[in-house]
Structure formats: structure tokens, C-alpha cells
Amino acid sequence: MATEASTDGTEAPDAYEELVERYRRIANVGNASGILSWDQQVMMPEGGTPARSQQLSALSAVHHDLLDDVEVGDLLDAAESAELDEEQAAVVREIRRSYEREVRVPTELVEEISATSSEALSAWEEARAADDFEAFEPYLEKLVDLKRQYAEHIDPDADPYEVLFQDYEPYLSLERTEEILDELKGVLVPMIEEIRESETPITTTAFEGTWDAEEQEELAREALTLVGYDWDRGRLDTSSHPFTSGTQFDARVTTRFDESDPLASLTSTIHEFGHANYQLGLPDEAYATPLGEARDLSVHESQSRLWENHVGRSKAFWELFLPTVTEQFPDAEGVTAEEAYESANQVYEDNLIRVEADELTYHLHIVIRFEIERALISGDLDVSDVPETWNDKYEEYLGIRPDTDADGCLQDIHWSHGNFGYFPTYSLGSVMAAQLYESAEEELGDLDERTRDGDFAELHEWLRENVHQYGKRYETGDLVREATGEEFTAEAFTDYVTEKYGDLYDLDSA
Amino acid sequence: MATEASTDGTEAPDAYEELVERYRRIANVGNASGILSWDQQVMMPEGGTPARSQQLSALSAVHHDLLDDVEVGDLLDAAESAELDEEQAAVVREIRRSYEREVRVPTELVEEISATSSEALSAWEEARAADDFEAFEPYLEKLVDLKRQYAEHIDPDADPYEVLFQDYEPYLSLERTEEILDELKGVLVPMIEEIRESETPITTTAFEGTWDAEEQEELAREALTLVGYDWDRGRLDTSSHPFTSGTQFDARVTTRFDESDPLASLTSTIHEFGHANYQLGLPDEAYATPLGEARDLSVHESQSRLWENHVGRSKAFWELFLPTVTEQFPDAEGVTAEEAYESANQVYEDNLIRVEADELTYHLHIVIRFEIERALISGDLDVSDVPETWNDKYEEYLGIRPDTDADGCLQDIHWSHGNFGYFPTYSLGSVMAAQLYESAEEELGDLDERTRDGDFAELHEWLRENVHQYGKRYETGDLVREATGEEFTAEAFTDYVTEKYGDLYDLDSA
């Protein structure tokens, strides 16, 4: 075993190969956990929970032990001292990053965070049901404290919020993220206000009535087939929250059905398709290595949002898809593509719930969470002040004020998992989606025309060539630059929404 | 960590606890593999195979590394030198057994067997399809040789076939097994001949026609509910071969449907229920320890055969279940319970296929395989002579001769996996089922009466009390003695078939 670093490089290729071999096992154990989680959410009978928790803990402990291993450290040192090509260097960079995050945090702290999250999750569920923030407060306080310690272990010199953020988005700076979110706020707050005051009526009720869940499932399958889901490497199921799970060989999506709102399931299915399609576009031969793994959360979200919004919420898509809808649901006969398009893009004036938000207000939900969690981690905001701060910000940015904490700061699961820094990746993903879609269109010409024809082959090809095929080879900013020729910026997104919603609501600012 | 053996026993309790803790992780990794295999056979899209193979290999390697660890050996030594109660001693005995089987066989040999089996499986599939034994011959030869080496590593002084057999049934001697199989042969060969010559016509066609697969699935669910399947800890799916997978918290069954034969799916579903019901009866608190794991294959098969044959093929069951059948399938209106019972128990005169055999001929299929694989491993039979020996034995014991090897010695998958010594456990299970059922009936009184009423509560309770609750606490023979007060014997089985088939076919010998 070549664990010694060498300066002449003769042993380094061996070290590199062995490092990758070890990483493969680690990645496969992680992927096995992914299957167990999918099963738990989709297939497992309710009584299976105690055994499943132990199985997942065992795999998580094995994953930790395989990575937090002095031999892995030696192999990393040896590989880093060698001459590596660009791809190999990227592989080593990514394994180093995982390794450092694993070894720097004491196992006891990881276990304490995990145990506290478990308790906090139950407490949050109860607190939300009872609209009782105070019942959740001590858990949130403890998690804020533990995650501050966690950040301190990883990098005592950095802004702890930035360290946490980098668990989800390792290669974008907090500064850039803040600039982008500020830009969104600057554009969206007045735009939403203008929409609120707009006199232009748009159709909001193209799909009223009751929509049978089984028929909706058929429709979701038709939609997935239409956008090019590879059924030989995927499947659609239902779960209480939609999600995607898998690898380039097997990427599965889930959805859920609201019988009063077929658009909810449809857009969420196309969203999950975007995630799955990214996984499926990763190179087969790099499976279970960093070059065969997705580039973190903002890029992942760019893929889901691109398909959900730029394709699935376009007028062209509704021109294409409406005949399929009316075939499945004869009651929809008479709805026009324009009406369907308007209904799918209505801006909600009084929606308090992030996951039910439209393309515009969504980002203000995110900005609010970002500002609050950042202040929590820095210590500028006390946990006990979260509800009031939350409500004030909703009033300021969205012109609405929650009546309850259940519909306010208790609505999301993320903080009860101790996930601080996750929310911004949702907005970064939307922004990146717009930038990528704009670039694809510059290169390929009018994409709406192709959508209208149900011809997504070139878009698939473009995304695969410019994003998917690289896995984690590039850091996020470099990946965007490689794909678009530009720095990562919110410009394409603000152009896109200004034009689309200016047109829809006949706004002066457009 | 208390890894040193101590003679005064002060450290032993720690060693025992730590040993069990380690075993739990190992068992949980094994159970995770079980979920991945279930998913592969039931849910996974076809394209997922390459990733799944790697995931399963990784878990298998982790499982090996966790068990084949010098610290586990030290903990075993320390625990064995201590004063342990009976249950603890059983736990240590079982972990020692797993440990020795793991450490004695060189990893390279395990890998070679695994790789050869993979190739042999494809070769067998092709050979069977082409009815070309010679194409499979070299693989079978290599596997026989490798498994001989394997047995030699585990115990160079023992009969290698016995060593292999003990992979599946660790605590019954080959001598006892041979006596039982000889007894079956002695009773069944003349009985089947007598049936062949019997003039008594029995109904064989109660369920002719076409039976919709979806309706059959409904019926299978009804049957499972009726016999007491715990749906909160289980589920029913379809797969190409029926199987059971899981633990006391989550034991799932699969079935398949033949639209020309609803009895096939029904009896196989009840068979799998018996397996699942055993898993579900293991104690919750002993999950992922030997006391919470099933006692190997013959006991497992006793549970499936008990429910399949003694319950599901009884006249009382058909009196209970027929109304459900006719509700689901109005075409079955007019079939009597007696006709259904006869059809479900007909003895096939010219069936060459083990998995389609009835309760009597089944065991001669097993005896033939047992005699051949034993002679193969001992070297008394050349691989090239298998087809002729096979056909001769079918002629001798069953009065039929296969026209093709596809319907002869190529029909089963087991040898292509290198599984020599597995087949006998099927017959041992049937024999044990009869002995257990007889004891239950002696204690509880007429069980047919309860079956007729759909009241299986006392039988469930008896099985749980006498078999399930113990996990691996007792060795197989001791478990049978605890449950029945007698040595493990074929007497109850031969009594059962003599009475049942004597009555059905009006035999003189009855």
C-alpha cells in the first residue's frame, strides 16, 4: 500500500488510485443510505421505523469511520504531492474537503447534533401543530449553539454562518450570495407591490374542481415522459413530501397529489425531474467518485428550477401539454393555453407559506429566512425574538403578517434539523437556472419553439455538455463561467421575471 | 475498551456488552444489504444494476471487515472466559460461529467464489435456455472445486459436504439428515406408486379458466389478512420469484401470478407468510443480535411449510376461504370446498419441476439433488455424469424421465450460486413443520376446527412461545425438543401424509 508521500511522484499514482478506491466504498455506503431513506419515505411499513433508524445509524457510523481514517489522510497527502492532471486534482480537492469536514468535528459533537435534531424534530412537529413557538425555543437555542461550535471546529477564523452555508454550497462566498439576495430583494419587492396594485386581471382558475389522484398520477407520468425522463433509470412514486433520490444509474422522483389543485403536483413533478435529470446526466464511468457526483445544492436547484419554471411554466409548454391534460381530464376541455399559463404563474397576494409560493414571492420568503438565520448564528438575534422579527419582515417585504407562528416561523422543517445556511441555495438555484437557460438560448436559438414541439433533445444535450458531465470537476463559480462565459449573476433572472411578469400583469416598469 | 481476556470475570461483562454492540452494527449492515436486495428485485429500474452491484459489494466488504477483526476475536475470548447466563452464552456461541466461518476462509477464495458464481449464473441461464449442459459444465466443475477448498479451510477434518450443509443448517448432523431423507424416500416412493395406480378419481380442475392478476392480488391480500399478517410491519409485492425479506419490524413478502393457475400464487403467498411471520415473531428488544435472528433455514422452512401445507392446504382452510374466493371471482361459484381441497392437493404424475411439485413428490426431487450434490462434493460423481445420473434417479424414484436437461438437472438456480447443501433444508423444514403442528395440536386440541372459524390466534401464540421468541438461543435439535418434547424425527410427517393422501386417494396402505 503506497501511503507514503513521495516527491518524485513515482508512488503518487498508486496513492491516487487507492484513494479513489477507498472513496468509492465510502460513496457506495452513502448511496446505500440513500436507498434506505428512499424506502423509508416511500415503501416502508410504519412499524419498520426502529430497525430502519438503527440501520441508518450503522451506515452513518461506517461512513464516518471509513472517511475519518489516518490512512485516508496519508493517501491525500501523497496524492497532493504528486503531479496530477486537472480532473485528478479536482477529485483530490473534493475528497480533501469531505475529509477535513469529517475529521475536524469531534464525533461527540456530531452525535450530539444528531441526537438533538431528533428531539428537535419531534418538538417542532408538536410545536407547529399547537402553534406554540415557546415549546420549540429551547431546542432551537441548543441547535444554534451546537452549530456554532460545529462551525468553530471547521474553521475558527471564518464567519460561522459562512462555514455552515458551505455545507450546502461550498464554493460560493457569502458575500456574493448576499449581493444576489439583495439584488432580488431590490427588484422583487417593488415588482410585487406593483402587481398587487395592478388592474390587469389574469386567469387564476383554469383548473378548478376536483382532480382524481390516480388520473393526476397518469398525467404526471405523461409529463415526465414528455420532458424526457429516462424510465429505464427512474421511477415515480408518491410520498408526503416530494423529493428526488439516486445516482446516474437510478434516479427516482416522488410527488404528492392535491385533488383541488392539479398544478401543484405537476409543477413539483417537473421540478423533481430536473433534479433527477441532473443525476442521470452525470457520467456513468465516474460513478461513486467526485467526478460522478452532483455539484452541490445551488447547481442542483438550478436544474430543478430550470425545468420547473423556464420550461414547465412557459406558455409554450402549455401549448404543448394542454391536449394531454384534456385527454386525461375531459373536464378541462375549453381551457386555453393562455389561461393555463396565467393560472400556473399567478402571483399570490396573501400567501404566507414558502412551499406554496410563486416564482416571485418565493425569493422574499428565502431572503427573510436568510436574514434571520444569519443574525441567529452571529448572535445579533435572540431565538426568542424570531417570531416577531419574522412577522415584521413578512409585513415589510410581502405586505402580509402571519396570524400564527404555525403559518410563520414554524412552517419549515430545516431549522429543526439544524440546517442553517440551506435556504439561500434555493434562490441561488433559481438565479443560476435563469443564467443557464439564457445561455442555452443564446447558443441554440429560441427554446420556446422547441418546447412547443415537445423537442427537448437539444436542451438536454446542452445541459449535459455544459453542466452534468462535469460532476464536481469545477467549483461552482467556475462551472457557471464554463457554461455561460460569465460570472454568476442575478441579471438573467431579473431580466426574465421583469419581462415575464411585466407582460403578464401589464406592469409599467417592464 | 476491555479487550483483554480475564480469568476473574471482572472485565467480561464489558467485553460481552462491547461484543454485542459490535455485532449490532454488523447485523445492521447485513440488514441494510437485505433492503437493497429487496429493492433490486421489487422496485429498482432495470438500469440501476451497475450501481446496485457496487453498493452491495461495498456493504459486503464492510460486513466482512467488521467481523474479521482481531478485536472481535479478543472480545470473543474475553466473553467466553467469563460467567455468562444461558442466553449470553448462546449469543457468544453464535457470534463465535459467524466469526470462525469468516476468518478461516481467505478473502481471495471468497472473492473467487463470488466472481465465479456471477459468471456461472449467466452461463447457467444461457445453458438452460439452450438446453446445453456442456456449456454449464466447466462452471459447475470450478464451483465444486472452489467449494471443496472452502470447506477444507473451515474444517479440514470434516466431511466437506457436511461443512457446506452447515452453512445453511449449522446444528443438524448430516447423519440425522440422511436418515430423515432415507425415511422419506422409503415411505414416499411406494406411496406415490400406489397413487399412480389408484383408481380413485380426485378433482384436479376446480379452478380452471383465466384468473385476472389484479384480482388474484386482491385475493392474496385477503388470504394474508385472514391468516394474520401484520400489515403494519409488512407489505406484499410482486417479483419474478416469490421471497421474503426483513426483520421483526418489517418483514415483506412477494408473490407472482399465473393467470391460468390461481392456486400457485395463493399457496406460495401463504408459504411466504409463514417465513415473514417467523421474522415478525422474533423479539423486538433483541433486534440485530442473535437472540433476535431466525434459527437458520430448516426452522425457517418449517414455518413456511406449516402455514402453506398444514393450514393452507387443509380442507378446513378451503371451507373458510372459498366464500372469499367466489366473492373475488364470481366464476368460482359452484366449486365446493372438497373440490378445492382436492385440486390443491393433487399429486402430479408427470411433473419434472421441483417448484411445481406437490407435497409428496417434492421430497423425491430433494432426495435426488441431495444424493447428486453429495456425490459431487465427495468426488464419487463426475460433473459430466450429472445429467445421466439425474435422469436415472428420476426414473427410479418418480417413474418419469426428463427429455431435456433444461427440465432436468439445469432447472434450479442453486448450484450456479455454488450453493451445495441447501436443498435438504427444504425437506427438513417440511418434516419439522409436521412435528411442530402435531405438537401444537396435542396441546391446543383440534386445529382444523379453529382454521374453519378463521381463528389462528392460538396457533400464532403457540408458534411464538415455542419457536419464534427464542431466536438463535437454542441449537436446532434443542429447539425442536423444547417445542415438542421429542427428538427431531420424520414420524409426524409420514403419519400426516399417510393419513391425508391415504384418505384422498383411498390407498390400501393407509
Side-chain angles (χ1 to χ4, degrees):
Chain A
M1 194 169 48
T3 53
E4 294 131 294
S6 67
T7 45
D8 62 4
T10 48
E11 285 180 355
D14 289 353
Y16 175 79
E17 288 306 326
E18 196 185 333
L19 180 67
V20 171
E21 205 44 60
R22 279 182 181 246
Y23 185 82
R24 273 205 196 93
R25 181 175 294 183
I26 295 166
N28 273 306
V29 169
N31 291 342
S33 289
I35 301 289
L36 263 62
S37 296
W38 177 88
D39 181 86
Q40 181 166 21
Q41 293 172 77
V42 180
M43 294 294 161
M44 191 184 79
E46 214 179 313
T49 308
R52 185 55 46 89
S53 303
Q54 282 198 41
Q55 291 152 8
L56 285 168
S57 292
L59 292 190
S60 160
V62 165
H63 190 274
H64 169 81
D65 290 351
L66 290 173
L67 189 52
D68 183 2
D69 179 332
V70 64
E71 289 181 15
V72 173
D74 291 344
L75 288 168
L76 276 166
D77 292 343
E80 280 162 352
S81 75
E83 278 189 32
L84 298 173
D85 67 26
E86 244 184 76
E87 288 200 341
Q88 291 172 328
V91 165
V92 174
R93 177 193 71 217
E94 294 297 327
I95 300 178
R96 166 65 76 188
R97 192 179 172 277
S98 305
Y99 174 77
E100 294 297 336
R101 294 232 147 198
E102 199 83 16
V103 301
R104 289 187 190 173
V105 184
T107 308
E108 304 74 55
L109 180 57
V110 173
E111 282 167 1
E112 198 179 351
I113 291 171
S114 167
T116 308
S117 301
S118 277
E119 290 166 27
L121 182 62
S122 307
W124 167 74
E125 280 168 351
E126 284 169 31
R128 188 171 71 153
D131 185 32
D132 178 6
F133 180 78
E134 278 179 27
F136 181 55
E137 209 179 300
Y139 297 93
L140 186 54
E141 239 158 40
K142 191 163 175 201
L143 282 168
V144 167
D145 177 54
L146 290 171
K147 290 302 289 245
R148 270 201 213 117
Q149 291 179 39
Y150 170 92
E152 169 89 11
H153 281 288
I154 290 175
D155 187 349
D157 301 323
D159 174 346
Y161 182 78
E162 181 152 26
V163 175
L164 300 179
F165 169 64
Q166 287 171 345
D167 264 356
Y168 313 109
E169 180 42 68
Y171 296 113
L172 289 179
S173 71
L174 193 54
E175 199 186 338
R176 192 76 268 269
T177 300
E178 200 177 4
E179 281 167 19
I180 285 175
L181 290 175
D182 277 347
E183 196 169 343
L184 295 187
K185 189 162 75 169
V187 171
L188 293 175
V189 170
M191 190 184 292
I192 290 163
E193 211 176 305
E194 208 185 338
I195 288 172
R196 197 185 299 277
E197 285 157 10
S198 158
E199 308 269 301
T200 308
I202 77 162
T203 307
T204 57
T205 56
F207 301 106
E208 281 199 314
T210 303
W211 305 77
D212 178 70
E214 272 181 49
E215 300 278 334
Q216 281 196 52
E217 188 177 334
E218 242 347 283
L219 196 62
R221 287 182 193 281
E222 297 273 3
L224 286 171
T225 301
L226 203 62
V227 291
Y229 188 43
D230 182 355
W231 289 105
D232 187 44
R233 297 187 179 203
R235 46 180 295 139
L236 172 70
D237 296 277
T238 55
S239 62
S240 60
H241 297 281
F243 71 103
T244 299
S245 168
T247 68
Q248 48 271 70
F249 291 102
D250 176 2
R252 307 171 183 187
V253 297
T254 73
T255 188
R256 61 180 170 190
F257 304 105
D258 175 347
E259 296 209 327
S260 71
D261 182 6
L263 285 173
S265 167
L266 203 59
T267 51
S268 129
T269 302
I270 297 174
H271 177 97
E272 298 305 331
F273 161 77
H275 283 303
N277 190 55
Y278 182 14
Q279 293 295 142
L280 293 171
L282 296 164
D284 283 0
E285 66 281 5
Y287 169 73
T289 78
L291 298 177
E293 293 176 334
R295 175 73 292 161
D296 303 291
L297 296 197
S298 55
V299 179
H300 232 306
E301 195 72 7
S302 79
Q303 300 303 295
S304 57
R305 295 291 163 111
L306 186 149
W307 286 96
E308 177 192 353
N309 294 337
H310 296 269
V311 177
R313 290 189 205 268
S314 69
K315 203 186 296 178
F317 180 78
W318 284 100
E319 287 167 13
L320 166 70
F321 193 55
L322 203 54
T324 311
V325 176
T326 47
E327 203 172 304
Q328 202 71 31
F329 288 102
D331 284 0
E333 197 80 57
V335 174
T336 67
E338 175 65 31
E339 289 166 343
Y341 168 68
E342 289 181 4
S343 288
N345 286 287
Q346 60 189 294
V347 176
Y348 299 101
E349 296 188 11
D350 52 5
N351 170 49
L352 292 160
I353 308 300
R354 178 183 60 85
V355 297
E356 294 169 7
D358 53 84
E359 258 185 299
L360 299 188
T361 56
Y362 188 87
H363 300 287
L364 299 180
H365 292 270
I366 295 301
V367 165
I368 292 166
R369 285 153 180 77
F370 172 71
E371 292 176 353
I372 289 176
E373 64 184 13
R374 226 187 140 180
L376 273 177
I377 298 295
S378 72
D380 290 344
L381 178 67
D382 286 341
V383 168
S384 60
D385 291 331
V386 166
E388 209 190 324
T389 307
W390 181 286
N391 295 347
D392 289 349
K393 285 183 186 284
Y394 266 78
E395 195 151 359
E396 184 185 348
Y397 302 157
L398 283 159
I400 47 178
R401 192 177 182 92
D403 288 330
T404 67
D405 292 333
D407 283 345
C409 65
L410 286 173
Q411 69 180 261
D412 289 307
I413 199 171
H414 302 58
W415 291 341
S416 76
H417 283 313
N419 292 350
F420 306 104
Y422 191 115
F423 285 120
T425 65
Y426 291 128
S427 287
L428 294 173
S430 291
V431 166
M432 201 182 293
Q435 191 170 353
L436 290 171
Y437 198 77
E438 188 186 77
S439 280
E441 198 148 42
E442 273 164 19
E443 200 171 317
L444 303 173
D446 189 1
L447 287 174
D448 274 346
E449 201 182 299
R450 305 228 198 11
T451 296
R452 214 170 283 122
D453 294 340
D455 175 11
F456 299 106
E458 283 167 297
L459 180 57
H460 274 290
E461 183 62 20
W462 192 92
L463 290 170
R464 192 180 277 252
E465 282 299 308
N466 289 283
V467 181
H468 306 174
Q469 68 151 324
Y470 293 120
K472 289 185 194 289
R473 177 166 170 186
Y474 296 114
E475 297 185 2
T476 310
D478 296 338
L479 181 65
V480 172
R481 202 178 308 106
E482 283 287 329
T484 68
E486 290 161 18
E487 295 303 304
F488 178 38
T489 146
E491 207 183 317
F493 179 81
T494 54
D495 286 353
Y496 158 70
V497 294
T498 303
E499 187 184 335
K500 178 171 176 178
Y501 289 89
D503 190 45
L504 257 170
Y505 284 96
D506 203 13
L507 305 181
D508 297 335
S509 57
Chain B
M1 195 168 47
T3 53
E4 295 131 292
S6 66
T7 45
D8 63 3
T10 48
E11 285 181 355
D14 288 353
Y16 175 80
E17 287 307 326
E18 195 184 333
L19 180 67
V20 171
E21 206 42 61
R22 279 183 179 244
Y23 185 81
R24 273 207 196 93
R25 181 175 294 183
I26 295 167
N28 273 307
V29 170
N31 291 341
S33 289
I35 300 290
L36 262 62
S37 297
W38 177 86
D39 181 86
Q40 181 167 22
Q41 293 171 77
V42 180
M43 295 294 160
M44 191 185 80
E46 217 180 311
T49 308
R52 186 55 47 89
S53 303
Q54 282 197 43
Q55 292 152 7
L56 284 168
S57 292
L59 292 190
S60 161
V62 165
H63 191 273
H64 169 82
D65 290 349
L66 289 173
L67 189 52
D68 184 4
D69 179 331
V70 64
E71 288 181 14
V72 173
D74 291 343
L75 288 169
L76 276 166
D77 291 342
E80 280 161 352
S81 73
E83 279 188 32
L84 298 172
D85 67 26
E86 247 184 74
E87 288 200 341
Q88 290 173 327
V91 166
V92 173
R93 177 192 71 219
E94 294 297 328
I95 299 178
R96 167 65 76 186
R97 193 179 170 277
S98 305
Y99 173 76
E100 293 298 335
R101 294 231 148 199
E102 199 83 18
V103 300
R104 289 187 189 174
V105 185
T107 308
E108 305 74 54
L109 180 57
V110 173
E111 282 167 0
E112 197 178 353
I113 290 172
S114 167
T116 308
S117 301
S118 278
E119 291 167 24
L121 182 63
S122 307
W124 167 74
E125 280 168 351
E126 283 169 30
R128 188 171 72 153
D131 185 31
D132 179 5
F133 180 78
E134 278 179 28
F136 181 54
E137 210 178 299
Y139 297 93
L140 186 53
E141 239 159 38
K142 190 161 177 204
L143 282 169
V144 167
D145 177 54
L146 291 171
K147 290 302 287 240
R148 270 200 212 116
Q149 292 178 39
Y150 170 91
E152 170 89 10
H153 282 289
I154 289 174
D155 187 349
D157 301 322
D159 173 347
Y161 182 77
E162 183 153 23
V163 175
L164 299 179
F165 170 64
Q166 287 170 345
D167 265 357
Y168 312 109
E169 180 42 67
Y171 296 113
L172 289 179
S173 71
L174 193 54
E175 199 187 338
R176 191 75 268 268
T177 300
E178 199 175 8
E179 282 167 18
I180 285 175
L181 290 175
D182 277 347
E183 197 170 341
L184 295 186
K185 188 162 74 169
V187 170
L188 293 174
V189 170
M191 190 185 294
I192 289 162
E193 210 177 308
E194 211 188 336
I195 288 171
R196 197 184 298 278
E197 286 157 10
S198 158
E199 307 270 302
T200 308
I202 76 162
T203 306
T204 58
T205 55
F207 300 107
E208 282 198 315
T210 302
W211 305 78
D212 177 70
E214 272 182 48
E215 300 278 334
Q216 282 195 52
E217 188 178 333
E218 241 348 281
L219 197 62
R221 287 182 192 281
E222 297 274 2
L224 286 171
T225 302
L226 204 62
V227 292
Y229 188 45
D230 181 355
W231 289 106
D232 187 43
R233 296 187 179 201
R235 45 180 296 140
L236 172 70
D237 296 277
T238 55
S239 62
S240 60
H241 297 280
F243 71 104
T244 299
S245 169
T247 69
Q248 48 271 67
F249 290 102
D250 176 3
R252 307 171 183 188
V253 297
T254 74
T255 189
R256 60 180 169 191
F257 304 105
D258 174 348
E259 295 210 326
S260 71
D261 182 7
L263 285 173
S265 166
L266 202 59
T267 52
S268 127
T269 302
I270 297 174
H271 177 99
E272 298 305 331
F273 160 76
H275 283 303
N277 191 55
Y278 182 15
Q279 293 296 140
L280 294 171
L282 295 164
D284 283 0
E285 65 282 6
Y287 170 73
T289 78
L291 298 177
E293 294 176 332
R295 175 74 289 160
D296 303 292
L297 296 197
S298 54
V299 179
H300 231 305
E301 194 72 6
S302 80
Q303 300 304 295
S304 56
R305 295 290 163 113
L306 187 149
W307 286 97
E308 176 191 355
N309 293 336
H310 296 269
V311 177
R313 289 190 205 269
S314 70
K315 203 187 293 177
F317 180 78
W318 284 100
E319 287 168 12
L320 166 70
F321 193 55
L322 203 53
T324 310
V325 177
T326 48
E327 202 172 303
Q328 201 71 31
F329 289 104
D331 285 359
E333 197 80 58
V335 174
T336 67
E338 175 65 30
E339 288 166 344
Y341 168 67
E342 290 181 4
S343 288
N345 287 286
Q346 60 188 293
V347 176
Y348 299 101
E349 295 188 9
D350 51 5
N351 170 51
L352 292 160
I353 308 301
R354 179 183 60 85
V355 296
E356 294 170 7
D358 53 82
E359 256 185 297
L360 299 187
T361 56
Y362 188 88
H363 301 288
L364 300 179
H365 291 272
I366 296 302
V367 165
I368 291 166
R369 285 153 179 76
F370 172 70
E371 291 176 353
I372 289 176
E373 65 184 13
R374 225 187 141 177
L376 274 178
I377 297 296
S378 72
D380 291 343
L381 178 68
D382 285 342
V383 168
S384 59
D385 292 332
V386 166
E388 208 190 328
T389 307
W390 180 287
N391 295 347
D392 289 349
K393 284 182 187 284
Y394 266 78
E395 193 150 4
E396 185 185 346
Y397 301 156
L398 282 160
I400 48 176
R401 191 176 183 93
D403 287 330
T404 66
D405 292 333
D407 282 346
C409 64
L410 286 173
Q411 69 181 261
D412 289 307
I413 200 171
H414 302 58
W415 292 342
S416 76
H417 282 312
N419 292 350
F420 306 105
Y422 192 114
F423 285 120
T425 65
Y426 290 129
S427 286
L428 295 173
S430 291
V431 166
M432 202 182 293
Q435 192 171 352
L436 291 171
Y437 198 76
E438 188 186 77
S439 281
E441 197 147 44
E442 273 163 21
E443 201 172 315
L444 303 173
D446 188 1
L447 287 174
D448 275 345
E449 203 182 296
R450 304 227 199 13
T451 296
R452 214 170 282 122
D453 294 341
D455 175 10
F456 299 106
E458 282 167 298
L459 179 57
H460 273 290
E461 182 61 20
W462 191 90
L463 290 170
R464 192 180 274 251
E465 282 299 306
N466 288 283
V467 180
H468 306 176
Q469 69 152 323
Y470 293 120
K472 289 186 194 288
R473 176 167 171 185
Y474 295 113
E475 298 185 0
T476 310
D478 296 339
L479 181 64
V480 173
R481 201 179 308 106
E482 284 286 329
T484 69
E486 290 162 17
E487 295 302 306
F488 179 37
T489 146
E491 208 183 314
F493 179 81
T494 56
D495 286 354
Y496 158 71
V497 293
T498 303
E499 190 186 330
K500 178 172 177 177
Y501 289 89
D503 189 45
L504 257 170
Y505 283 96
D506 202 14
L507 305 181
D508 296 336
S509 58

